[in-house]
Amino acid sequence: MKKIALGLIAVIFFAACESKDGNQVTVSGTIENPPEEGMMTISLLEQGKLSLKDTIVLNEDNTFEYTMPAGAPEFYILNMFNTQRATLILSEEDVEVIADGSERNGKLEITGSEDIKHLEAIRNMTEEQNEEVREINAQFLAARKADDQEKMKNIQDDFMIIQEKRKENIKAKVEEMLPSIAVIQAMNFFNPNEDFEFMQKVSASLEEAHPNSSIVQFYAKQIDDLSKVSIGVVAPDFSMPTPEGDTVSLSDYRGGYVLVDFWAAWCKPCRAENPNVVAAYNKYKDQGFEILGVSLDKKREDWLKAIEQDGLEWTQVSDLKYWQTPVVQEYKISGIPFSLLIGPEGKIVAKNLRGDELHQKLEEIYSGS
């Protein structure tokens, strides 16, 4: 008897075969080189976490069969002896797996449904993009080593054009794949700050087709949360203390443009961007441009020292709760620097304007002033 071994998620895709019984779905197959110790497990991916559903024991001839009730499509993880893992979409079609079982990148053959074909296509798109990024990075590093600033700029510009074209192609493929829940994995290609309308469209299509799917409901909840801080909506109000102990609210800035700049003294990219923000402030402050700095620091002395060192003259607030500050959850912030440009009516105009993009947007706003 082999022992239980539950592993973590790894994205390896495989397909489903036609179901023999509309009320059940079966996962079956052969593990060619199973280790002496360990066992197979199957887990449901729900609420972003794995929930162990059952263990699967091999027969003497190294075959297995696991049957469960058919239902709304969901993502499952088949863990083979904590060595190989596969992501399944199970609904009403059976799955057949032939795997090595002893090597992480060993033989893995899966047959089945359109859902799994879509998963494999998304995996291939991901690998293509990763390879392209690696090549671009190598070219950029070589140009930087040679101190060829013009080539570095050209590489960056070309990469942005390539990425935009690739994203448009992926959008078209996602639309072809809908309403397969496989497209949820393709959402990693998109930026909510730039592609939120498309992501909403995908979510709505999935909800209509699979209202009882827990993964669809989870994704819809994520989209709904993001909609509260998307471009065009009124930014949620918040109030926080200044270094002097005064309370400042975002709503205090109604009537003009304000950049809400989330940063921290310990954040090197934030500190590197600060001179650019200072330059923008100095250029447009006399025309009414404001900045509200929101620090995610936890040490008051570090926060105050950074304000002075970087010459941040605008209002600064912080509750010194690090990532536990409520505004982080309210605004769905996963990394800093992060910024929002808020318009006179309190609506979000733009997100994460950095470098030249910040100056270009402000010039667009104030050029007629």
Side-chain angles (χ1 to χ4, degrees):
M1 180 69 68
K2 296 181 174 67
K3 301 176 182 178
I4 298 175
L6 175 62
L8 300 176
I9 301 177
V11 182
I12 304 173
F13 305 109
F14 66 90
C17 302
E18 187 174 336
S19 177
K20 300 175 183 177
D21 185 340
N23 297 318
Q24 292 182 321
V25 59
T26 298
V27 182
S28 62
T30 302
I31 308 299
E32 296 181 347
N33 299 295
E36 289 298 321
E37 298 293 326
M39 185 176 287
M40 298 173 63
T41 62
I42 188 165
S43 300
L44 173 66
L45 182 61
E46 54 182 350
Q47 301 299 313
K49 299 179 181 179
L50 279 182
S51 174
L52 178 64
K53 306 309 291 184
D54 214 337
T55 59
I56 301 174
V57 180
L58 284 180
N59 300 318
E60 292 297 324
D61 60 356
N62 292 342
T63 62
F64 69 91
E65 183 172 295
Y66 177 76
T67 300
M68 57 181 280
E74 304 286 359
F75 285 104
Y76 288 83
I77 306 297
L78 183 68
N79 182 338
M80 293 166 277
F81 311 102
N82 210 25
T83 300
Q84 286 182 288
R85 297 173 179 83
T87 299
L88 306 75
I89 293 177
L90 297 180
S91 179
E92 297 179 349
E93 295 174 292
D94 294 346
V95 171
E96 184 176 1
V97 183
I98 300 176
D100 177 86
S102 64
E103 295 183 11
R104 185 170 300 277
N105 297 316
K107 179 181 180 180
L108 183 61
E109 297 176 357
I110 306 126
T111 55
S113 70
E114 287 299 309
D115 282 333
I116 303 304
K117 291 179 182 178
H118 294 329
L119 279 177
E120 186 170 2
I122 293 168
R123 181 190 63 182
N124 291 336
M125 288 189 289
T126 302
E127 291 177 350
E128 288 173 6
Q129 176 163 286
N130 290 343
E131 179 60 31
E132 190 171 69
V133 169
R134 283 192 290 269
E135 292 178 4
I136 293 291
N137 283 341
Q139 294 174 22
F140 184 82
L141 290 173
R144 187 169 69 179
K145 186 176 181 180
D147 196 24
D148 190 336
Q149 297 296 323
E150 182 178 356
K151 188 172 183 179
M152 290 167 62
K153 180 67 164 57
N154 290 337
I155 290 172
Q156 289 178 318
D157 292 344
D158 290 345
F159 180 67
M160 293 301 296
I161 294 171
I162 291 171
Q163 287 294 86
E164 282 302 312
K165 289 182 178 178
R166 178 182 291 277
K167 189 160 63 174
E168 289 305 311
N169 290 336
I170 293 173
K171 281 184 179 181
K173 290 178 181 178
V174 165
E175 289 176 336
E176 291 176 4
M177 294 176 182
L178 283 171
S180 170
I181 69 169
V183 301
I184 292 175
Q185 293 204 0
M187 292 302 99
N188 290 327
F189 288 102
F190 303 104
N191 182 343
N193 296 333
E194 301 171 355
D195 310 299
F196 187 68
E197 185 176 346
F198 176 74
M199 296 173 74
Q200 279 186 309
K201 177 182 175 181
V202 169
S203 178
S205 177
L206 292 173
E207 278 195 286
E208 182 179 358
H210 312 294
N212 297 320
S213 170
S214 66
I215 192 66
V216 169
Q217 293 171 3
F218 179 64
Y219 181 63
K221 174 65 165 54
Q222 291 179 311
I223 293 297
D224 183 58
D225 287 344
L226 286 171
S227 70
K228 298 171 184 176
V229 288
S230 62
I231 292 174
V233 305
V234 175
D237 196 16
F238 62 89
S239 300
M240 296 176 71
T242 67
E244 296 74 28
D246 298 323
T247 298
V248 173
S249 301
L250 176 60
S251 55
D252 296 338
Y253 291 85
R254 286 289 178 89
Y257 285 90
V258 57
L259 183 75
V260 185
D261 182 33
F262 295 89
W263 72 292
W266 48 261
C267 170
K268 291 183 179 179
C270 302
R271 304 294 295 275
E273 177 65 11
N274 276 346
N276 181 64
V277 182
V278 169
Y281 179 70
N282 289 336
K283 185 174 181 179
Y284 294 102
K285 64 181 180 180
D286 292 339
Q287 294 173 264
F289 177 54
E290 297 275 7
I291 300 178
L292 176 60
V294 183
S295 168
L296 303 190
D297 278 297
K298 53 185 175 180
K299 294 182 179 180
R300 176 181 172 83
E301 57 272 24
D302 292 346
W303 175 39
L304 299 182
K305 184 178 179 180
I307 292 173
E308 181 178 359
Q309 287 179 337
D310 293 3
L312 311 183
E313 298 178 3
W314 49 86
T315 300
Q316 295 285 339
V317 295
S318 180
D319 56 14
L320 299 176
K321 292 182 180 179
Y322 196 46
W323 287 103
Q324 282 67 51
T325 187
V327 74
V328 168
Q329 283 71 45
E330 184 74 20
Y331 278 82
K332 311 302 173 188
I333 300 171
S334 58
I336 54 175
F338 177 78
S339 64
L340 299 166
L341 183 62
I342 311 296
E345 297 179 351
K347 294 182 179 180
I348 299 172
V349 174
K351 290 184 175 183
N352 277 335
L353 295 173
R354 299 179 194 167
D356 291 340
E357 289 183 346
L358 176 59
H359 291 266
Q360 290 168 4
K361 187 64 178 180
L362 294 177
E363 182 178 0
E364 175 188 318
I365 291 170
Y366 293 109
S367 60
S369 299

